[in-house]
């Protein structure tokens, strides 16, 4: 299994190209199920989660092709993916595949809408919490689906098709919103989703669904009004830039010091996180080229932050912010309000010398003046990258094991950071 070794102490200077967003690319790929025509996606990131989902869609009968490299495209060129679901031959997503990639559960709504039935494995728990799917099922039932749970699978059918209605989510859920939004795009009549998630990736998918034929109002708000289409068309859609990757590299610069241009990044997608970085002492300048982040000379200031659904501070940047705060000049608090168990990185940061106390959903971080590299291990994607950020400012070598978590969501991280002067290398086992 590969690991990544970081030798701390170097500042970061240069530019980092921001990739297409994983959390938009995955549901956009799934949206291809809705149409017999080709959906072309531009700016698709090269990630193992994308590959795994392509395999799952392949099993359903969807042809997935990826355009090859073209003249002038460097190593990190974004990919164009074409998905054609003219012939869906299977409506089952098995446990072996869904358990490896949670977002694949979202095939349920589109399969039901297009084929009238679906059998999809329940995704099960994961390192960051129990992550139930009750609201996905509630939403689909309200649209008229008959749902049965059987041996770890959801068996869903809609013999008379889906019909629009008003659905209120008790809690904001990104996944439930994606799943029900995609299903509602082909339901008869009008669906109103109240207390829907309004993460930018949902807006991106909604824009694509609108180009495919659904009529959608309220995009980027908590209330979506969807008028379903009988048949959905193909279209070409460009995946929006990854705000979590953007925030992660911004925090890496704040940690290591230096001056980096995050190319193609969009400040409007992560304003709350950028505000926190400014409070922590980083300089942030947004332009139409991207976001320039620097920290030169001044120390890191402590902050008090609580994660929240968009436009609040994203839970997917919580671990990275905690890594940064381990070196702040004072005491910070971070409250995790989305996932109950998302503190797996705390023990590993402590191995590097961090001073963090946990009390329920709140971590109190007392900044320390120095940290020392060590071998560490992480159990989820965002936690792994927080250890790399910590390693950038720790003395000596930090080796992050189980890098497959990183490869799920960060494209060529060692190359992107290495090009800016970090001492970082991948070790193949
Ligand atoms: C998505 C993101 C993930 C991010 C999370 C929160 C993708 C591929 N993943 O995950 O990176 O951390 O949003 O921004 O986009 N819940 C229920 N019942 C449900 C569904 C969810 O109680 O039916 C709860 C969850 O346990 C959690 C909260 O709602 O406490 C939010 O989860 P949700 O927004 O659904 O996260 P995901 O869609 O799994």
């Amino acid at each position: 299994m590969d690991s990544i070794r970081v030798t701390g102490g170097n500042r970061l200077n240069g530019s980092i190209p921001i990739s297409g967003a994983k959390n938009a690319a995955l549901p956009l790929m799934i949206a291809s199920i809705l149409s017999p025509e080709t959906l072309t996606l531009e700016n698709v990131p090269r990630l193992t989660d994308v590959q795994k989902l392509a395999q799952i869609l392949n099993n359903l009968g969807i042809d997935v092709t990826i355009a090859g490299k073209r003249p002038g495209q460097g190593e990190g060129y974004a990919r164009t993916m074409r998905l054609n679901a003219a012939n869906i031959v299977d409506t089952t997503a098995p446990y072996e595949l869904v358990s490896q990639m949670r977002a694949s559960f979202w095939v349920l709504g589109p399969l039901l809408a297009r084929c009238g039935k679906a059998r999809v494995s329940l995704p099960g728990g994961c390192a960051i919490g129990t992550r139930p799917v009750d609201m996905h099922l509630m939403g689909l039932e309200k649209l008229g689906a008959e749902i049965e749970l059987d041996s770890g699978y959801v068996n869903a059918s809609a013999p008379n098709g889906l019909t629009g209605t008003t659905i209120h989510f008790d809690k904001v859920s990104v996944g439930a919103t994606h799943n029900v939004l995609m299903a509602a795009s082909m339901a008869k009549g009008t669906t109103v989703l109240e207390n829907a998630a309004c993460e930018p990736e949902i807006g991106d998918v909604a824009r694509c669904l609108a180009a495919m034929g659904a009529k959608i109002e309220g995009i980027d708000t908590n209330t979506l009004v969807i008028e379903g289409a009988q048949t959905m068309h193909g279209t070409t859609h460009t995946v929006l830039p990854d705000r979590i990757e953007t925030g992660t590299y911004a925090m890496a610069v704040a940690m290591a010091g230096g001056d980096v241009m995050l190319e193609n990044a969009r400040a409007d997608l992560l304003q709350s996180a950028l505000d926190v970085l400014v409070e922590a002492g980083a300089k942030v300048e947004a332009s139409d080229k991207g976001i320039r982040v620097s920290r030169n000379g001044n120390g890191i200031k402590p902050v008090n932050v609580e994660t929240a659904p968009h436009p609040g501070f994203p839970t997917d940047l919580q671990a990275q912010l905690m890594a940064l705060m381990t070196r702040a000049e004072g005491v910070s608090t971070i409250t995790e309000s989305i996932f109950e168990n998302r503190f797996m990185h705390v023990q590993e940061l402590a191995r590097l010398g961090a001073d963090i106390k946990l009390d329920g959903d709140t971590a109190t971080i007392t900044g320390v003046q120095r940290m020392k590299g060590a071998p560490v291990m992480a159990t989820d994607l965002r936690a792994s990258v927080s250890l790399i950020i910590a390693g950038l400012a720790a003395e000596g070598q930090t080796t992050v094991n189980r890098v497959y978590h990183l490869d799920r969501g960060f494209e060529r991280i060692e190359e992107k950071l290495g090009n800016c002067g970090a001492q970082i290398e991948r070790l193949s086992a």
Side-chain angles (χ1 to χ4, degrees):
M1 237 181 282
D2 288 4
S3 54
I4 285 189
R5 186 161 67 198
V6 187
T7 307
N10 287 13
R11 285 175 163 253
L12 301 177
N13 285 295
S15 57
I16 295 179
I18 297 301
S19 300
K22 168 179 91 75
N23 286 359
L26 300 177
L28 284 165
M29 289 168 69
I30 291 173
S32 69
I33 293 174
L34 292 166
S35 173
E37 295 172 15
T38 300
L39 174 64
T40 302
L41 298 176
E42 311 268 16
N43 199 30
V44 176
R46 294 192 289 173
L47 300 169
T48 54
D49 267 12
V50 167
Q51 270 164 27
K52 267 200 190 122
L53 181 60
Q55 205 184 330
I56 292 167
L57 296 175
N58 257 180
N59 271 354
L60 301 177
I62 298 169
D63 293 338
V64 183
T65 56
I66 294 163
K69 205 166 166 173
R70 296 286 180 270
Q73 282 174 331
E75 257 318 295
Y77 73 101
R79 301 188 303 180
T80 299
M81 183 180 272
R82 290 188 181 83
L83 303 105
N84 183 287
N87 298 305
I88 296 182
V89 295
D90 194 349
T91 52
T92 300
Y95 174 74
E96 299 71 51
L97 297 175
V98 179
S99 59
Q100 287 181 44
M101 226 267 294
R102 289 188 53 86
S104 60
F105 182 73
W106 305 347
V107 300
L108 181 63
L111 277 177
L112 197 53
R114 170 96 189 275
C115 308
K117 61 175 186 168
R119 177 171 159 82
V120 179
S121 168
L122 286 164
C126 74
I128 65 173
T130 50
R131 298 178 90 172
V133 291
D134 53 316
M135 292 192 295
H136 299 235
L137 304 186
M138 176 280 290
L140 295 174
E141 275 180 330
K142 286 239 158 132
L143 291 177
E146 286 168 18
I147 289 182
E148 238 177 53
L149 297 185
D150 162 43
S151 316
Y153 277 77
V154 177
N155 287 334
S157 64
N160 305 314
L162 298 172
T163 307
T165 184
T166 295
I167 297 166
H168 180 88
F169 295 108
D170 286 338
K171 195 172 173 182
V172 176
S173 162
V174 170
T177 304
H178 276 308
N179 217 336
V180 181
L181 167 63
M182 289 192 273
S185 294
M186 279 191 81
K188 283 182 217 111
T190 305
T191 302
V192 181
L193 300 184
E194 295 175 351
N195 201 27
C198 65
E199 268 60 10
E201 294 76 22
I202 290 176
D204 206 35
V205 172
R207 286 185 181 87
C208 180
L209 293 171
M212 292 169 77
K215 290 204 177 77
I216 306 182
E217 281 172 28
I219 294 180
D220 294 329
T221 75
N222 292 115
T223 305
L224 292 168
V225 181
I226 306 123
E227 208 183 300
Q230 270 197 330
T231 34
M232 303 278 280
H233 313 292
T235 190
T236 296
H237 182 87
T238 303
V239 180
L240 89 176
D242 196 316
R243 67 195 163 99
I244 304 303
E245 191 193 26
T246 306
T248 300
Y249 288 126
M251 289 194 201
V253 179
M255 183 65 147
D259 189 339
V260 172
M261 180 68 180
L262 303 173
E263 288 166 18
N264 313 320
R266 267 175 52 190
D268 60 309
L269 303 181
L270 74 159
Q271 198 53 56
S272 60
L274 295 178
D275 291 346
V276 168
L277 274 168
V278 170
E279 199 187 329
K283 195 168 163 199
V284 175
E285 293 161 85
S287 69
D288 54 1
K289 289 202 194 71
I291 306 174
R292 185 173 163 193
V293 183
S294 57
R295 184 175 69 81
N296 289 307
N298 52 342
I300 300 166
K301 297 192 190 72
V303 295
N304 299 307
V305 167
E306 180 166 354
T307 62
H310 192 76
F313 187 91
T315 173
D316 285 350
L317 287 174
Q318 181 256 107
Q320 297 89 317
L321 179 66
M322 194 176 299
L324 178 62
M325 287 304 119
T326 59
R327 301 300 298 274
E329 296 167 338
V331 180
S332 308
T333 59
I334 301 182
T335 301
E336 172 55 60
S337 62
I338 310 284
F339 292 111
E340 77 273 19
N341 193 23
R342 201 170 202 179
F343 282 128
M344 309 296 276
H345 42 286
V346 170
Q347 287 315 313
E348 300 300 303
L349 288 170
R351 287 174 53 76
L352 302 175
D355 178 352
I356 306 171
K357 292 200 172 48
L358 274 182
D359 181 11
D361 60 3
T362 299
T364 302
I365 309 115
T366 305
V368 293
Q369 283 197 346
R370 52 188 289 257
M371 299 222 281
K372 215 163 161 234
V376 284
M377 178 146 340
T379 41
D380 78 83
L381 168 60
R382 313 302 177 183
S384 332
V385 82
S386 78
L387 298 171
I388 294 204
I389 292 178
L392 288 172
E395 283 167 24
Q397 292 182 340
T398 299
T399 308
V400 182
N401 293 299
R402 294 202 187 165
V403 178
Y404 60 85
H405 286 300
L406 273 175
D407 294 336
R408 284 186 40 220
F410 288 93
E411 186 176 330
R412 301 173 297 117
I413 188 166
E414 65 276 22
E415 197 184 309
K416 291 190 184 189
L417 285 172
N419 285 346
C420 289
Q423 271 196 67
I424 180 166
E425 62 189 320
R426 181 178 289 256
L427 309 171
S428 297

